[in-house]
Amino acid sequence: DAGITQSPRHKVTETGTPVTLRCHQTENHRYMYWYRQDPGHGLRLIHYSYGVKDTDKGEVSDGYSVSRSKTEDFLLTLESATSSQTSVYFCAISEFGQTENYGYTFGSGTRLTVV
Amino acid sequence: TQLLEQSPQFLSIQEGENLTVYCNSSSVFSSLQWYRQEPGEGPVLLVTVVTGGEVKKLKRLTFQFGDARKDSSLHITAAQPGDTGLYLCAGSQGAQKLVFGQGTRLTINP
């Protein structure tokens, strides 16, 4: 059983349209994160959440928003998709106080193409 | 500017050879983690090192944390095709967030 699932796995969208990616966890972890992965840049943090309705920005948050209305779900929205947002998006989870020693558990990613 | 610099970014070697991947920073980390990622999947944690000078072994993989906790290395002995993948280092500075290096794409040729 996967403790974290992302949907959709693949999406192609047009420039200027809104897009929402979903991350669902069954581990009841407090922390959830959205990263994007691009060649030469590794994983860069977009937004993260430290509880229901508690979110904060990461290093590449422009053009993205997030929401967390339930512990298990963390949504990432591209308000008006641009070609520079073509990327692979990963969700990750972690329990409070455990990131340092136990790291993250990642989802399988969503490959987003903006045309 | 990348907080964690990995080198090399690409490495292709023959089965049976040894290799070392480096992860360097000018910043101090409370812990350093190594992940391995396969195509179409998310990264999976291999190991965490938390003490300066710490060495951990995972079968043919040896991980070391620098004495000053600013750098780490991953050494693979007698590499096998199954070791092929993207290796990522990640540092924690105690704020429940990880900073990742750019990754090292390793290919082991039979």
Side-chain angles (χ1 to χ4, degrees), chain B residues 18-56:
Chain B
N18 302 332
L19 65 107
T20 302
V21 176
Y22 299 93
C23 178
N24 294 304
S25 177
S26 57
S27 301
V28 175
F29 292 96
S30 53
S31 72
L32 214 300
Q33 299 170 0
W34 287 91
Y35 291 77
R36 181 178 162 207
Q37 184 180 13
E38 304 212 20
E41 297 297 327
V44 175
L45 181 67
L46 294 174
V47 77
T48 300
V49 284
V50 297
T51 305
E54 182 176 5
V55 177
K56 279 192 175 178

Side-chain angles (χ1 to χ4, degrees), chain A residues 32-93:
Chain A
M32 299 185 76
Y33 310 82
W34 278 107
Y35 282 82
R36 60 178 288 173
Q37 185 173 40
D38 304 289
H41 291 278
L43 288 157
R44 292 180 292 174
L45 182 63
I46 305 171
H47 282 279
Y48 68 103
S49 170
Y50 48 96
V52 173
K53 297 185 180 178
D54 291 323
T55 65
D56 205 351
K57 297 179 180 180
E59 62 178 306
V60 290
S61 60
D62 287 349
Y64 301 94
S65 62
V66 291
S67 66
R68 192 169 177 200
S69 58
K70 297 184 291 185
T71 297
E72 56 265 35
D73 290 324
F74 192 31
L75 304 180
L76 176 70
T77 297
L78 288 66
E79 290 142 12
S80 177
T82 67
S83 58
S84 65
Q85 293 175 313
T86 292
S87 186
V88 182
Y89 291 85
F90 285 98
C91 178
I93 59 174

Side-chain angles (χ1 to χ4, degrees), chain A residues 9 31 33 35 37-38 40-45 48 56-59 90 94-109 111, chain B residues 1-2 9-10 30-33 35 37 40-45 47-50 86 88 92-103 105:
Chain A
R9 288 297 312 273
Y31 283 78
Y33 310 82
Y35 282 82
Q37 185 173 40
D38 304 289
H41 291 278
L43 288 157
R44 292 180 292 174
L45 182 63
Y48 68 103
D56 205 351
K57 297 179 180 180
E59 62 178 306
F90 285 98
S94 178
E95 188 48 273
F96 177 73
Q98 295 186 1
T99 302
E100 199 164 291
N101 290 309
Y102 300 104
Y104 294 163
T105 300
F106 283 89
S108 297
R111 182 173 294 276
Chain B
T1 304
Q2 196 81 22
Q9 290 193 37
F10 299 93
S30 53
S31 72
L32 214 300
Q33 299 170 0
Y35 291 77
Q37 184 180 13
E41 297 297 327
V44 175
L45 181 67
V47 77
T48 300
V49 284
V50 297
L86 179 68
L88 295 156
S92 170
Q93 294 182 311
Q96 301 293 318
K97 293 183 291 182
L98 295 177
V99 174
F100 286 83
Q102 317 99 307
R105 190 164 297 281

